[in-house]
Amino acid sequence: MSKENTASVTMNRAKPYQLVLFPFNNGATNVYYILTSSYIAYYGGVLGLLTVFAGTMVTVMRLFDAVTDPVIGALIDKTNGKFGKFRPFMVLGNVIMAVSSILLYFCTQLVPTSMMPMRYVLYVFFYAIYVIGYTFQTSVTRSGQTVLTNDPKQRPMFTIFNLVASMLGMGAIQFCAPIIRANFGDYTTQSFFNVLIPAAIIVSAGLTVLGVIGIWEKDQPKYFGMGGDVQEKVKVSEYIALIKANGPLQRLMIAGGGCKLALAIATNTAVLAMLYGGMMGDYDNLYLPMMVLGYVFSAPFFYLTIRTSQKQGQKASLMRYVGVALVCYIGVMVLLLLWGRGDAFTLSLYSTENGFHLTLNLYTVLFILFFGIGYGAYYATADMPIPMVADCSDYETYRSGKYVPGIIGTLFSLVDKLVSSLSSTVVAFAAAAIGFSQALPGADDPFVPGMNTVVIILFCVIPMAAWAATLLAMKGYILTGDKMKEIQAVNAVRKDAIAKGMSMEQAMAKWKTIDQVPQEFR
């Protein structure tokens, strides 16, 4: 075998533009993720629905996902048409989310208040439609990586491009929302959503187009597992057995859920409104600057996580920087416990009275350092489990010979949605406990007794517990950098043999470990 042919079998590498563009698919879904985790409960208040119902409904609806996710995963695994395996679900998913958002945020309000039960029904029904579209598109982010690249040097790079894409999607909404609030109405008004929703739909659609371009050339049978055009059919009933046998997948689901829960709650708009508005009393001058500082601190961690992943594997990188976040947030928690003991124990960045001048104090400097480093570390790792999903998919192919990126991707979609919805419910109940039963706290709501305790629990304690769970789950994760090199080598030699006429069963039996693989495939 020539070196060129060996290389083509052994390693599937992505072109630079593909690595850059495909992650925008995740940026597109993160636009809607922010709408769900931060604003859908607010819109329940706009409709006059009880806050606890609006928040709890998002979690309860995930029972619906228990049915839709495996079905959609099966559809992805069985799809192989002229438009590819993954692109149809990217486009259709985005269209469904756009339509369902229009129906939810603009049509539900047309029902008169005299028919309030109908508002409740439509709120749930339109959200159920959204769930299907979100599953369609977000599962491709996980499963599509298996065809993009299997190069251990390239795969970790997905994380940094994914973070950039997420910042453009999720960050665009987070950045624009307070500006829209200041000019068109608070988060609790219909006028706010009249501007936010069309902007979100346009941004998400544009990012989807970029994602489709990124995967276009790779979305073809020769990159599908070991069998190419001939793929083994896997029944939905077999998926449970696959999950039970795939230990790394189980652990990564816990880690991914922990990272996502920490991000979802700590960045929830209501939590930040209570922190910067109710407690610190200066939401307009604190929210955006602190968000920007968080992104600035994230930049060096983007580089550090990639370098660590390439040298020591993605497991080592995830555990290291989640640990950094955990330690730093102990400092943030201590500072919030000290809040309110005088003017020196509050956040203050600058003042525009009598001209612009800085008003930094030691408390603020320490908060910026602990929060900035902690935020940078966990933001850089929040989506790190996503490229690791491709590792779990490759491990399943190595373990059983089955190529089922769809079901593995939808399992992570389910975890993603469960966690994001759980965050909304937790925040809704916490807010209701201190008197916000009709609407979530807004940026202009004053401090009420118990708010500091709620903020400490939501902003620090729950994320820290989630990071601790992530570290415990990843301790026994076996897909290290060296193990993935073995898996790719074994999969490559099997695929080459199958292409030459050997059966899947024979190839699986002949090559099981790295020492059995010819040198040219290592």
Side-chain angles (χ1 to χ4, degrees), residues 167 170-171 174 290-299 375 379:
M167 287 174 64
M170 187 163 59
Q174 290 176 320
M290 294 303 294
M291 184 183 74
V292 172
L293 282 172
Y295 286 155
V296 170
F297 274 94
S298 298
Y375 183 91
Y379 192 78

Side-chain angles (χ1 to χ4, degrees), residues 203-221:
V203 170
S204 183
L207 296 179
T208 298
V209 171
L210 295 177
V212 169
I213 294 173
I215 201 174
W216 192 283
E217 292 183 18
K218 294 287 187 175
D219 195 7
Q220 50 182 309

Side-chain angles (χ1 to χ4, degrees), residues 222-256:
K222 67 180 181 179
Y223 298 112
F224 300 163
M226 293 191 295
D229 290 301
V230 182
Q231 293 295 310
E232 183 176 350
K233 300 297 182 182
V234 181
K235 299 178 181 178
V236 174
S237 59
E238 296 179 62
Y239 288 152
I240 295 178
L242 290 178
I243 298 169
K244 288 182 177 180
N246 197 318
L249 176 61
Q250 298 171 25
R251 291 182 175 275
L252 193 60
M253 288 173 67
I254 296 173

